[in-house]
Amino acid sequence: MCGIVGYIGERGAQGVLTSGLRRLEYRGYDSAGIVTLGANNQATLLRAEGKVSELDKLVLSHENKDTVGIGHTRWATHGEPSETNAHPHKAGDIYLVHNGIIENYKELKAELKNHSFESQTDTEVLVALVDSLYDKETLLVDAVTQALKLVVGTYGIAVVSTREPDVIIVARMGSPLIIGVNDDETIIASDASALVGHTDQAIYLNDGEIAVCRRDGVELQDMSAQPISTRVETIEVDMQAIQKQGYDHFLLKEISEQPVTLRSTLSGRVNVEDKLIKLGGLNLNTEELRGIEHVTIIGCGTAYYAGLLSSYYLEQLVDGLTIDVATASELRYRSFHLPKNTVALVVSQSGETADTLACLREIKRRGVKTLGIINAVGSTIAREVDGGVYVHAGPEISVASTKAFTSQVAAMIMFGIQIAQAKGVGVQDTSSYIEELDQLPNEIEAVIANYKEQISAIAKRYAHYDHALYFGRDTLFPVALEGALKLKEISYIQAEGYAAGELKHGPIALVDDTFFEVALLLDNWLFDKSLSALSEVNARGGHVFAITNSKKEIDAEETLRIDTKLDLLAPIVINVVQQLFAYYVAVARGNDVDQPRNLAKSVTVE
Ligand code: M6R
C-alpha cells in the first residue's frame, strides 16, 4: 500500500526514482511525487495527481542532475487523491514520504501551531513534527528519532533535508522498507522489485530501526540511538518476473503462468513415486505433526478464500482434525480461543498485510505455533512466523490475486497430507491427492489453452450486467466466493458468492434481468443437489452461466464443460476458468484490469 523509493549515489536521481515508482505503482496509484536535492540547498519537488505517467510528464519539463532524492506513489488514506495530498510532504528544510498511518495525528497537529498545514494527510503532521525538533544544532537523524518516539501508528518513512544533502534517513514500524547497497550508491524501496537491476544486496529494515543512508554505506540504529550491526542479504527477484513479457496485462500473464508457478510450488515437495510429501521449512518434527489437533487458518481477501477452500481438503485428509478459518481483520479484535495443540496457518501473498500481521502477532503472543503460507520471500510475515511454506509463485504484480491462490491451496493440501501421514494415515489413502497435485499444473495448462477463446466469448455476453451471483456447494462454495471477489474487483460488477444451498434462504430474491448467475457444479455425489439450485434460479428467470466438469445434462443459458482428469482438485481448475472469465469481462468493460480503482496490491494499513 503506497510505494517508497529513495536514491543517493552518483547517477541522476530523477531517473532512478521514477523508474522505481513505476515498478511500485501496483501498490498505490492515485498520485505520485519525488523530491531531489541539488547544489546550494535547492530542492526540486514534483507531485502529480494520478499515475506515475503524470509525474513523468512533469519530470520531463523539470529535468535535473541531482543525485539524491526520495519518491512515493500513493494509495489515499487521509485526504482525497490530489496533488496537495501527494507525497513528499514538506516542512522547513525537510521532505518526507510515508507509508502507513499516524494514528495520533490529530493530537500532534493540535500542538504544531507554527506549521501552516496545506494537506489533509497524517504525513504532513509527521514532517512538521520532525521539523519542530530540527533546530540548528540537531542532526536530521536525531530529529527523526525524537519525532518517532511521539508517534502512535505504523510507518515506513524516508526523509531528506536540504541542510544535510548527503544523507537519507529511513525508519520502519509496521511498513516494510528495504535498503539496497552498492559500492557508491544506496537505494531505498518499500518492495524488492524496485531494486531489481540496481543491486541484489540489501538490508531488510526491522520494526523500530532507523537507518542513515549515504552514498558509501548505511548505519543502523535503534530508537534509543544505539548502533545496530548491519545485515546485508542477497535478494532474489528475477527481472522477467516483473515484466509483462508480451501479455496485454499482468493479470493475464499471471493467470497464464500458473502451470509454471504451481510446478515451483510442488517441486521437491511431492514425491509421486513413493506417494510422500516433504515440506522443508515447517520446523515441526513428526511427533509435533502427529500432535496437531486443531488448525486455525487466517488471511484476508483471496488468501482467506484459499484458506477456506483448503479447510475442506484438510478435514477430508485428516480424520478428527478440527479447523477454523477466519479473516484476519475480524479475528484480531475477537475474543477468540485456540484449543490445545493448535497450529495457525498464516496465509498471505505479500506477507505484509497489516491485519494478517497483527493476528499473527496476537496468536504468537498466546504461545501458539505459527506457520506461514507466503509468497513474498523475506516479507515481514515470513520472517515472523515459526516456520512455513514459501509458495514460490513469483512476484504478483496485478492487484487481483490469482496465481498466489492456486499455489496457496496446493501448499495447504501438501501440509494436510503431511499431517495425515505423520498421524499414520496409510499412503494409499492420500495417494489420490498426491497424484492429482502432480497432474494439476498440466490440467490447468490444458484448460487455459483449450477454453480461453470460449471463456472470452462468454464473458462478452455477460459484460454489460450490473450484478452477479456466484454459487457452488462444498469445495465449490469457497471457489464461488473467490470468483465473485475476482469479478467485482476488476469489473466493478456487484458480485456475491453463496453456498448453493443458501440461495433459497434469501439471495434468490435478487434474481431478475439485471443479474446473471455463475453456477459451479462438480460431477460428484452433490451434482443433483447443485442442479436443483440452478433449476430454482432458472425458474425465476435467471441468466445462468454454468461451469462444470460434468457431461450430464444442464439447463443453463451458457455452459462451459471442462474436460479434466481431476476429481478432488477440479475446483482449483474451475477457479482458473473464473479468473479468465473475470479478466475478459473487465477487458470488455474497458477497465484498467491491473490497477483497478480504489485498490492497492498490498494492504499495509488497517
Ligand atoms: O498479500 P495478501 O495475500 O495478504 O493480500 C490479501 C488481500 O489483500 C488480497 O488477496 C486481495 O483481496 C486481492 N486484491 C484479491 O484479489
Side-chain angles (χ1 to χ4, degrees), residues 417-437:
I417 298 172
Q418 199 159 334
I419 303 181
Q421 294 184 338
K423 283 181 183 280
V425 173
V427 158
Q428 65 288 354
D429 291 322
T430 49
S431 65
S432 41
Y433 277 96
I434 293 183
E435 279 158 17
E436 290 208 15
L437 274 176

Side-chain angles (χ1 to χ4, degrees), residues 300-303 347-351 353 356 399-401 408 485-486 489 599 601 603:
C300 295
T302 289
V347 190
S348 176
Q349 187 286 126
S350 62
T353 301
T356 312
V399 165
S401 184
Q408 285 160 350
L485 175 63
K486 217 79 316 167
E489 70 180 324
L599 297 177
K601 182 66 183 166
V603 186

Side-chain angles (χ1 to χ4, degrees), residues 404-425:
F405 175 93
T406 304
S407 290
Q408 285 160 350
V409 175
M412 284 184 269
I413 293 173
M414 288 192 280
F415 176 64
I417 298 172
Q418 199 159 334
I419 303 181
Q421 294 184 338
K423 283 181 183 280
V425 173

